[in-house]
Amino acid sequence: MLENKLRIHLQSYDHKLLDQSSKKIADVVAKAGSELVGPMPLPTKIKKYTVLRSVHVNKDSREQFEMRIHRRFIEVKNSNQQLMTALSSLSLPSGVGIEIK
């Protein structure tokens, strides 16, 4: 028996927006009657950048910045066409990236 699995990857710089979005998706999946696994937190990616404070002199004086990318993973079992249309019409905040496989 072939099971229709739908895998949703969410990522954002703001973890609060990410949690709100994953709750919206969970509500849509619950209304459609499909089984939900997650949202599971994935490891946070941290990108670090080091920048010189001054251009020519003071090479030892540097600033460090970092960007944290928070990620979540949701798996939907027994998905159907009705669920796909509901997820595609769902409006998420602009700071959340979503990838559906």
Side-chain angles (χ1 to χ4, degrees), residues 48-84:
K48 294 186 179 183
Y49 301 99
T50 303
V51 179
L52 295 176
R53 288 189 189 200
S54 137
V55 183
H56 298 293
V57 202
N58 304 330
K59 177 97 174 172
D60 295 333
S61 178
R62 301 174 187 211
E63 284 184 298
Q64 290 186 331
F65 302 98
E66 70 177 25
M67 288 187 343
R68 293 178 178 258
I69 302 172
H70 303 278
R71 301 181 299 158
R72 302 286 185 272
F73 173 73
I74 300 172
E75 186 173 87
V76 180
K77 295 182 180 179
N78 301 327
S79 64
N80 53 20
Q81 191 61 34
Q82 178 187 4
L83 178 65
M84 287 298 294

